[in-house]
Amino acid sequence: MARPKKAITKAQIKAELERRHAFKPKSKSEHYLASNQDYIAHQLDDDLIEAHRKGKTGIGEEVFFGLMDPNLDAKQGTYYLEWDETTVKALWESILYRSLGQLRYADVTLPKFEEELEWIASSHFDDICKFLGLEPNEIRIKIPSILEFYNKTPIKGSYSEKIVQAFNFLKASNYSVTDNSLSESYAGLSGENFIPVKEN
């Protein structure tokens, strides 16, 4: 006589179906553009990704991505840009606009405010402005007025305050150059280095 088959309960069937439908992450794989030499990976800031999720992007930020964009690696927070002159120009313009926007909205007590001022004082800022055909010191000498207009007074004695003082020095001196970095301009005026070494 044959042995009766073991009965399967409804609970066992449900558990098996849940196991089969459970999310299984794909194995780690590179984005399809990662090995394409005509594209460069641009790491996106967390606040930019969050702004896109909420639909509150700022001026110039739309150049980066749409959430369904095939060039976006959402898992890594990276966007792959085709590295041609038009895209590079759009990227640098958006970085510049975004930085100036951060100065307007960032809390002066937070590191973000100081980071943006420090970047505007950097040689990297010079390079971007030159690429875009802009004069970096003309932008820098307007920063103190913009900060004053938006009631953004750097904390007394802070590194941010020293940077704004350097911008004010250029503004008060009516000093504008086309080929010098800010540090060279400031050194030429005062005989000293631009900004003291940041204290940790």
Side-chain angles (χ1 to χ4, degrees), residues 110-161:
L110 297 178
K112 189 70 182 164
F113 181 77
E114 187 171 283
E115 287 167 11
E116 294 306 324
L117 282 173
E118 199 170 356
W119 181 73
I120 291 170
S122 73
S123 59
H124 187 226
F125 182 80
D126 292 327
D127 295 338
I128 288 178
C129 286
K130 285 174 186 174
F131 180 84
L132 296 173
L134 301 171
E135 169 48 50
N137 283 345
E138 285 181 14
I139 296 172
R140 289 173 177 135
I141 63 177
K142 291 176 183 172
I143 296 292
S145 303
I146 293 167
L147 294 178
E148 186 178 337
F149 182 81
Y150 289 107
N151 296 317
K152 301 282 184 177
T153 306
I155 297 168
K156 193 162 181 66
S158 68
Y159 190 59
S160 298
E161 183 186 46

Side-chain angles (χ1 to χ4, degrees), residues 26-198:
K26 291 182 179 178
S27 58
K28 289 185 179 179
S29 60
E30 284 190 335
H31 189 273
Y32 77 101
L33 291 172
S35 58
N36 189 326
Q37 294 182 353
D38 293 333
Y39 288 79
I40 187 164
H42 178 73
Q43 191 67 40
L44 300 171
D45 292 341
D46 292 339
D47 59 331
L48 180 59
I49 295 169
E50 190 59 30
H52 273 273
R53 284 185 180 137
K54 292 179 179 177
K56 297 179 180 177
T57 56
I59 296 171
E61 291 178 354
E62 63 277 3
V63 72
F64 284 122
F65 65 93
L67 288 176
M68 301 305 287
D69 193 321
N71 291 20
L72 173 67
D73 182 347
K75 190 175 180 182
Q76 300 297 327
T78 304
Y79 189 82
Y80 288 89
L81 292 161
E82 190 169 7
W83 209 234
D84 58 26
E85 189 172 345
T86 304
T87 306
V88 172
K89 186 176 180 186
L91 173 64
W92 290 157
E93 283 177 346
S94 65
I95 288 172
L96 180 61
Y97 282 122
R98 187 160 183 269
S99 180
L100 296 172
Q102 288 286 343
L103 282 183
R104 178 178 175 182
Y105 294 109
D107 185 331
V108 297
T109 63
L110 297 178
K112 189 70 182 164
F113 181 77
E114 187 171 283
E115 287 167 11
E116 294 306 324
L117 282 173
E118 199 170 356
W119 181 73
I120 291 170
S122 73
S123 59
H124 187 226
F125 182 80
D126 292 327
D127 295 338
I128 288 178
C129 286
K130 285 174 186 174
F131 180 84
L132 296 173
L134 301 171
E135 169 48 50
N137 283 345
E138 285 181 14
I139 296 172
R140 289 173 177 135
I141 63 177
K142 291 176 183 172
I143 296 292
S145 303
I146 293 167
L147 294 178
E148 186 178 337
F149 182 81
Y150 289 107
N151 296 317
K152 301 282 184 177
T153 306
I155 297 168
K156 193 162 181 66
S158 68
Y159 190 59
S160 298
E161 183 186 46
K162 293 175 185 175
I163 295 172
V164 173
Q165 285 171 351
F167 294 166
N168 268 323
F169 186 80
L170 289 175
K171 182 180 177 184
S173 304
N174 276 335
Y175 195 71
S176 178
V177 291
T178 49
D179 293 324
N180 288 10
S181 68
L182 179 59
S183 57
E184 291 168 332
S185 304
Y186 191 76
L189 286 168
S190 65
E192 300 173 1
N193 291 328
F194 164 47
I195 299 171
V197 175
K198 186 174 182 178

